[in-house]
mmCIF file of all heavy atoms in Angstrom:
data_model
loop_
_atom_site.group_PDB
_atom_site.id
_atom_site.type_symbol
_atom_site.label_atom_id
_atom_site.label_comp_id
_atom_site.label_asym_id
_atom_site.label_seq_id
_atom_site.Cartn_x
_atom_site.Cartn_y
_atom_site.Cartn_z
ATOM 1 N N THR A 241 2.585 -18.552 -39.374
ATOM 2 C CA THR A 241 2.467 -19.404 -38.189
ATOM 3 C C THR A 241 2.174 -18.553 -36.964
ATOM 4 O O THR A 241 2.678 -17.437 -36.844
ATOM 5 C CB THR A 241 3.762 -20.220 -37.971
ATOM 6 O OG1 THR A 241 3.672 -20.919 -36.722
ATOM 7 C CG2 THR A 241 5.008 -19.361 -37.944
ATOM 8 N N LYS A 242 1.359 -19.096 -36.048
ATOM 9 C CA LYS A 242 1.099 -18.408 -34.777
ATOM 10 C C LYS A 242 2.332 -18.462 -33.897
ATOM 11 O O LYS A 242 2.579 -17.580 -33.105
ATOM 12 C CB LYS A 242 -0.032 -19.122 -34.042
ATOM 13 C CG LYS A 242 -1.392 -18.922 -34.640
ATOM 14 C CD LYS A 242 -2.390 -19.718 -33.793
ATOM 15 C CE LYS A 242 -3.752 -19.734 -34.444
ATOM 16 N NZ LYS A 242 -4.632 -20.700 -33.793
ATOM 17 N N ASN A 243 3.047 -19.572 -33.997
ATOM 18 C CA ASN A 243 4.176 -19.817 -33.108
ATOM 19 C C ASN A 243 5.482 -19.570 -33.875
ATOM 20 O O ASN A 243 5.751 -20.270 -34.852
ATOM 21 C CB ASN A 243 4.095 -21.268 -32.627
ATOM 22 C CG ASN A 243 5.217 -21.616 -31.688
ATOM 23 O OD1 ASN A 243 6.120 -20.804 -31.435
ATOM 24 N ND2 ASN A 243 5.175 -22.823 -31.156
ATOM 25 N N PRO A 244 6.290 -18.604 -33.447
ATOM 26 C CA PRO A 244 7.521 -18.325 -34.210
ATOM 27 C C PRO A 244 8.557 -19.448 -34.137
ATOM 28 O O PRO A 244 9.468 -19.489 -34.951
ATOM 29 C CB PRO A 244 8.059 -17.047 -33.568
ATOM 30 C CG PRO A 244 7.435 -16.964 -32.229
ATOM 31 C CD PRO A 244 6.117 -17.669 -32.323
ATOM 32 N N TYR A 245 8.415 -20.369 -33.159
ATOM 33 C CA TYR A 245 9.296 -21.547 -33.120
ATOM 34 C C TYR A 245 8.605 -22.646 -33.913
ATOM 35 O O TYR A 245 7.727 -23.328 -33.389
ATOM 36 C CB TYR A 245 9.520 -22.022 -31.682
ATOM 37 C CG TYR A 245 10.339 -21.075 -30.842
ATOM 38 C CD1 TYR A 245 9.727 -20.144 -30.009
ATOM 39 C CD2 TYR A 245 11.729 -21.117 -30.879
ATOM 40 C CE1 TYR A 245 10.490 -19.279 -29.233
ATOM 41 C CE2 TYR A 245 12.493 -20.251 -30.112
ATOM 42 C CZ TYR A 245 11.865 -19.340 -29.291
ATOM 43 O OH TYR A 245 12.609 -18.483 -28.533
ATOM 44 N N ALA A 246 8.939 -22.789 -35.149
ATOM 45 C CA ALA A 246 8.235 -23.746 -36.003
ATOM 46 C C ALA A 246 9.260 -24.441 -36.899
ATOM 47 O O ALA A 246 9.439 -24.109 -38.064
ATOM 48 C CB ALA A 246 7.171 -23.033 -36.825
ATOM 49 N N GLY A 247 9.956 -25.409 -36.302
ATOM 50 C CA GLY A 247 11.129 -26.017 -36.951
ATOM 51 C C GLY A 247 10.835 -26.752 -38.240
ATOM 52 O O GLY A 247 11.580 -26.643 -39.206
ATOM 53 N N GLY A 248 9.748 -27.521 -38.260
ATOM 54 C CA GLY A 248 9.428 -28.264 -39.475
ATOM 55 C C GLY A 248 9.021 -27.313 -40.588
ATOM 56 O O GLY A 248 9.407 -27.467 -41.751
ATOM 57 N N LEU A 249 8.254 -26.300 -40.191
ATOM 58 C CA LEU A 249 7.800 -25.301 -41.163
ATOM 59 C C LEU A 249 9.004 -24.605 -41.817
ATOM 60 O O LEU A 249 9.065 -24.476 -43.040
ATOM 61 C CB LEU A 249 6.931 -24.264 -40.438
ATOM 62 C CG LEU A 249 6.442 -23.088 -41.268
ATOM 63 C CD1 LEU A 249 5.474 -23.550 -42.342
ATOM 64 C CD2 LEU A 249 5.776 -22.044 -40.384
ATOM 65 N N THR A 250 9.957 -24.176 -40.991
ATOM 66 C CA THR A 250 11.063 -23.387 -41.549
ATOM 67 C C THR A 250 12.109 -24.257 -42.245
ATOM 68 O O THR A 250 12.768 -23.796 -43.167
ATOM 69 C CB THR A 250 11.714 -22.512 -40.467
ATOM 70 O OG1 THR A 250 12.108 -23.344 -39.378
ATOM 71 C CG2 THR A 250 10.753 -21.444 -39.982
ATOM 72 N N HIS A 251 12.224 -25.536 -41.828
ATOM 73 C CA HIS A 251 13.019 -26.482 -42.631
ATOM 74 C C HIS A 251 12.498 -26.482 -44.073
ATOM 75 O O HIS A 251 13.247 -26.689 -45.025
ATOM 76 C CB HIS A 251 12.854 -27.908 -42.100
ATOM 77 C CG HIS A 251 13.943 -28.392 -41.201
ATOM 78 N ND1 HIS A 251 15.278 -28.241 -41.474
ATOM 79 C CD2 HIS A 251 13.890 -29.093 -40.037
ATOM 80 C CE1 HIS A 251 15.997 -28.813 -40.516
ATOM 81 N NE2 HIS A 251 15.177 -29.323 -39.625
ATOM 82 N N GLY A 252 11.184 -26.266 -44.198
ATOM 83 C CA GLY A 252 10.519 -26.342 -45.504
ATOM 84 C C GLY A 252 11.017 -25.327 -46.517
ATOM 85 O O GLY A 252 10.794 -25.484 -47.721
ATOM 86 N N LEU A 253 11.738 -24.300 -46.032
ATOM 87 C CA LEU A 253 12.313 -23.339 -46.990
ATOM 88 C C LEU A 253 13.305 -24.037 -47.927
ATOM 89 O O LEU A 253 13.531 -23.590 -49.052
ATOM 90 C CB LEU A 253 12.997 -22.195 -46.233
ATOM 91 C CG LEU A 253 13.523 -21.032 -47.070
ATOM 92 C CD1 LEU A 253 12.416 -20.346 -47.859
ATOM 93 C CD2 LEU A 253 14.247 -20.013 -46.191
ATOM 94 N N ALA A 254 13.867 -25.162 -47.455
ATOM 95 C CA ALA A 254 14.807 -25.915 -48.292
ATOM 96 C C ALA A 254 14.114 -26.552 -49.494
ATOM 97 O O ALA A 254 14.776 -27.186 -50.331
ATOM 98 C CB ALA A 254 15.517 -26.971 -47.458
ATOM 99 N N PHE A 255 12.797 -26.379 -49.619
ATOM 100 C CA PHE A 255 12.105 -26.826 -50.845
ATOM 101 C C PHE A 255 12.730 -26.151 -52.072
ATOM 102 O O PHE A 255 12.610 -26.641 -53.195
ATOM 103 C CB PHE A 255 10.605 -26.518 -50.754
ATOM 104 C CG PHE A 255 9.787 -27.177 -51.819
ATOM 105 C CD1 PHE A 255 9.669 -28.555 -51.874
ATOM 106 C CD2 PHE A 255 9.140 -26.419 -52.793
ATOM 107 C CE1 PHE A 255 8.925 -29.175 -52.877
ATOM 108 C CE2 PHE A 255 8.392 -27.033 -53.799
ATOM 109 C CZ PHE A 255 8.287 -28.408 -53.837
ATOM 110 N N THR A 256 13.418 -25.044 -51.836
ATOM 111 C CA THR A 256 14.117 -24.376 -52.950
ATOM 112 C C THR A 256 15.196 -25.290 -53.554
ATOM 113 O O THR A 256 15.534 -25.139 -54.725
ATOM 114 C CB THR A 256 14.733 -23.040 -52.504
ATOM 115 O OG1 THR A 256 15.635 -23.264 -51.428
ATOM 116 C CG2 THR A 256 13.665 -22.051 -52.075
ATOM 117 N N ASP A 257 15.727 -26.251 -52.772
ATOM 118 C CA ASP A 257 16.672 -27.234 -53.344
ATOM 119 C C ASP A 257 16.008 -27.990 -54.503
ATOM 120 O O ASP A 257 16.617 -28.224 -55.552
ATOM 121 C CB ASP A 257 17.074 -28.288 -52.287
ATOM 122 C CG ASP A 257 17.999 -27.749 -51.210
ATOM 123 O OD1 ASP A 257 18.530 -26.639 -51.356
ATOM 124 O OD2 ASP A 257 18.179 -28.467 -50.198
ATOM 125 N N VAL A 258 14.751 -28.394 -54.269
ATOM 126 C CA VAL A 258 14.006 -29.161 -55.280
ATOM 127 C C VAL A 258 13.706 -28.267 -56.481
ATOM 128 O O VAL A 258 13.895 -28.659 -57.640
ATOM 129 C CB VAL A 258 12.696 -29.714 -54.673
ATOM 130 C CG1 VAL A 258 11.878 -30.461 -55.714
ATOM 131 C CG2 VAL A 258 13.007 -30.616 -53.479
ATOM 132 N N LEU A 259 13.268 -27.039 -56.202
ATOM 133 C CA LEU A 259 12.915 -26.109 -57.285
ATOM 134 C C LEU A 259 14.130 -25.809 -58.166
ATOM 135 O O LEU A 259 14.022 -25.764 -59.400
ATOM 136 C CB LEU A 259 12.359 -24.810 -56.697
ATOM 137 C CG LEU A 259 11.045 -24.957 -55.928
ATOM 138 C CD1 LEU A 259 10.782 -23.721 -55.083
ATOM 139 C CD2 LEU A 259 9.876 -25.208 -56.880
ATOM 140 N N GLU A 260 15.283 -25.623 -57.530
ATOM 141 C CA GLU A 260 16.504 -25.347 -58.314
ATOM 142 C C GLU A 260 16.816 -26.520 -59.244
ATOM 143 O O GLU A 260 17.141 -26.326 -60.412
ATOM 144 C CB GLU A 260 17.698 -25.136 -57.381
ATOM 145 C CG GLU A 260 17.813 -23.735 -56.810
ATOM 146 C CD GLU A 260 19.205 -23.465 -56.268
ATOM 147 O OE1 GLU A 260 19.539 -24.003 -55.212
ATOM 148 O OE2 GLU A 260 19.958 -22.715 -56.926
ATOM 149 N N GLN A 261 16.714 -27.739 -58.706
ATOM 150 C CA GLN A 261 17.016 -28.915 -59.544
ATOM 151 C C GLN A 261 16.005 -29.045 -60.676
ATOM 152 O O GLN A 261 16.375 -29.388 -61.800
ATOM 153 C CB GLN A 261 17.000 -30.177 -58.692
ATOM 154 C CG GLN A 261 18.228 -30.332 -57.805
ATOM 155 C CD GLN A 261 18.317 -31.754 -57.250
ATOM 156 O OE1 GLN A 261 18.448 -32.723 -57.988
ATOM 157 N NE2 GLN A 261 18.233 -31.882 -55.939
ATOM 158 N N LEU A 262 14.730 -28.779 -60.374
ATOM 159 C CA LEU A 262 13.705 -28.909 -61.427
ATOM 160 C C LEU A 262 13.926 -27.866 -62.522
ATOM 161 O O LEU A 262 13.702 -28.140 -63.706
ATOM 162 C CB LEU A 262 12.301 -28.789 -60.834
ATOM 163 C CG LEU A 262 11.875 -29.958 -59.954
ATOM 164 C CD1 LEU A 262 10.439 -29.765 -59.470
ATOM 165 C CD2 LEU A 262 11.998 -31.309 -60.683
#
Side-chain angles (χ1 to χ4, degrees):
T241 173
K242 288 179 188 169
N243 181 356
Y245 291 96
L249 176 66
T250 55
H251 262 314
L253 186 60
F255 192 65
T256 58
D257 288 348
V258 178
L259 296 165
E260 277 198 287
Q261 285 194 62
L262 291 183

